[in-house]
Amino acid sequence: MPQGAILLVDKVEGWTSHDVVAKSRRALGTKKVGHAGTLDPMATGLLVLGAGPATRLLTHLVGLDKTYTTTIRLGLSTVTDDREGEITAAAPAGLVAEVYANQDRITAGVTDLTGPIEQAPSAVSAIRVDGKRAYDRVRAGEDVVLKKRPVTIHGFDIGEPRILTVPGPGGEPVEVIDLDAVVRCSTGTYVRALARDLGEKLGVGGHLTALRRTAVGPFSVDAATPHAQLVGDGTVAGDPGVLYPPADIARRLFTVLELDAEEAKDLANGKRLSVDPERHAPAPLVAAIFPGSDSDVAGDRLVGLVEIKGGRSRVITNFPSQETGGAA
């Protein structure tokens, strides 16, 4: 594909997003590969990759809403707010049993964490604090408290709570409540922090034991290439599966300005186009596409993402047909 491609991958547990990118370079036959938002090694599910010139589209995919399925464990706190971190505290069994017996409290806590909220990211995150990653500071023994930031929890739907016994901080048996949930949220949300904050609201502490990203904007993990297929068996390159042309992705995300051959050439050269308001209303981001039926190249071509204002177009991001360079 002259303009590169977007690839959806179903990541497995234990791999970093960078690991998946590295393996995809071989399967895709290019060094220029990037991703639109990381997944923790513990997390599974949808990772959106871009290859070649299509990596320019990733900037506009990062901000899409996300959907996750997760399991929250109430009654234990960890340093990482998930099961991979050391347990730092366990709630008394009587308090856990009290919360389980009064499940309206859980519902109320979930309601408080739905909608626009202020959330402090997990201390063990990639956010930089004075030039150093927060997780590096935590591993060095520092006490890191990150500033709260606005996020939106569009949906926080929980299943039936279940109580069980698991090893506590010293290996002793303790009671906890496991809660399956589906979370639909804005970009920048830390689902680990949601588990921590719900536990704090209930006075018992909390962390994640499972996390799976099922959707990024309109893109579902159901359409993703299985991880094993992408990686291969180690002797031959894997199969990337379905590769989505940038124009196909752009059509799903933005309104479209269809270009003729002359307009496509002018826009590719950085010129501003006159746009009749009856042809397209003003908009901050529009996909300018040269239809495949009007060109000698198979398939539509995404010429650029443009702003339309005052009857004129302004290029926000252009998409060359070819691009060279190193790894993203």
Side-chain angles (χ1 to χ4, degrees):
M1 291 185 182
Q3 288 199 301
I6 297 295
L7 169 64
L8 309 180
V9 179
D10 186 353
K11 186 185 89 68
V12 299
E13 187 173 333
W15 284 62
T16 67
S17 299
H18 179 75
D19 292 336
V20 178
V21 167
K23 283 293 184 180
S24 69
R25 288 182 176 128
R26 185 180 183 192
L28 293 165
T30 178
K31 292 183 178 180
K32 192 170 185 62
V33 179
H35 63 75
T38 61
L39 279 175
D40 292 336
M42 187 194 87
T44 68
L46 184 58
L47 190 65
V48 180
L49 305 183
T55 54
R56 297 188 178 197
L57 192 55
L58 297 178
T59 300
H60 305 282
L61 299 178
V62 169
L64 295 174
D65 291 343
K66 314 292 192 301
T67 303
Y68 299 89
T69 57
T70 185
T71 300
I72 297 170
R73 178 158 291 173
L74 301 172
L76 289 175
S77 301
T78 74
V79 69
T80 58
D81 301 326
D82 62 33
R83 64 173 164 78
E84 294 195 323
E86 179 184 353
I87 297 173
T88 56
L95 188 55
V96 171
E98 180 183 328
V99 170
Y100 182 72
N102 186 4
Q103 295 181 12
D104 286 346
R105 289 181 57 191
I106 298 177
T107 302
V110 167
T111 300
D112 285 346
L113 291 169
T114 304
I117 63 172
E118 293 279 329
Q119 181 189 72
S122 298
V124 182
S125 70
I127 294 173
R128 290 187 180 275
V129 179
D130 295 331
K132 189 175 181 180
R133 300 287 188 187
Y135 56 68
D136 288 331
R137 290 185 177 277
V138 171
R139 289 166 184 163
E142 296 183 35
D143 184 16
V144 176
V145 178
L146 297 174
K147 293 181 180 179
K148 290 187 176 182
R149 55 181 60 187
V151 297
T152 301
I153 310 303
H154 302 293
F156 193 169
D157 303 313
I158 60 173
E160 189 70 22
R162 54 190 184 275
I163 196 163
L164 62 158
T165 302
V166 300
E172 74 285 2
V174 298
E175 282 191 336
V176 297
I177 300 168
D178 273 10
L179 190 67
D180 294 331
V182 176
V183 177
R184 292 175 288 108
C185 55
S186 64
T187 187
T189 300
Y190 284 81
V191 183
R192 287 180 293 159
L194 271 185
R196 175 203 67 205
D197 293 346
L198 179 60
E200 288 180 357
K201 282 182 176 292
L202 297 170
V204 294
H207 69 279
L208 291 187
T209 62
L211 182 65
R212 179 168 176 77
R213 187 155 70 196
T214 58
V216 175
F219 309 111
S220 170
V221 72
D222 294 338
T225 298
H227 184 102
Q229 178 180 324
L230 175 71
V231 171
D233 62 6
T235 59
V236 296
D239 174 11
V242 178
L243 300 178
Y244 296 90
D248 289 0
I249 298 296
R251 283 188 182 277
R252 297 185 65 179
L253 296 176
F254 313 107
T255 58
V256 174
L257 174 66
E258 301 276 0
L259 306 177
D260 60 29
E262 184 177 353
E263 289 174 325
K265 181 179 179 181
D266 286 345
L267 194 68
N269 289 329
K271 294 183 180 180
R272 294 194 175 199
L273 305 179
S274 294
V275 182
D276 187 334
E278 292 187 3
R279 181 183 174 196
H280 205 294
L285 209 57
V286 174
I289 292 176
F290 184 36
S293 59
D294 294 340
S295 71
D296 56 3
V297 179
D300 295 348
R301 178 162 65 89
L302 178 61
V303 181
L305 294 178
V306 303
E307 176 191 34
I308 296 179
K309 184 177 180 181
R312 304 277 289 177
S313 71
R314 181 175 70 88
V315 174
I316 304 298
T317 307
N318 64 0
F319 289 85
S321 295
Q322 298 184 49
E323 187 168 273
T324 59

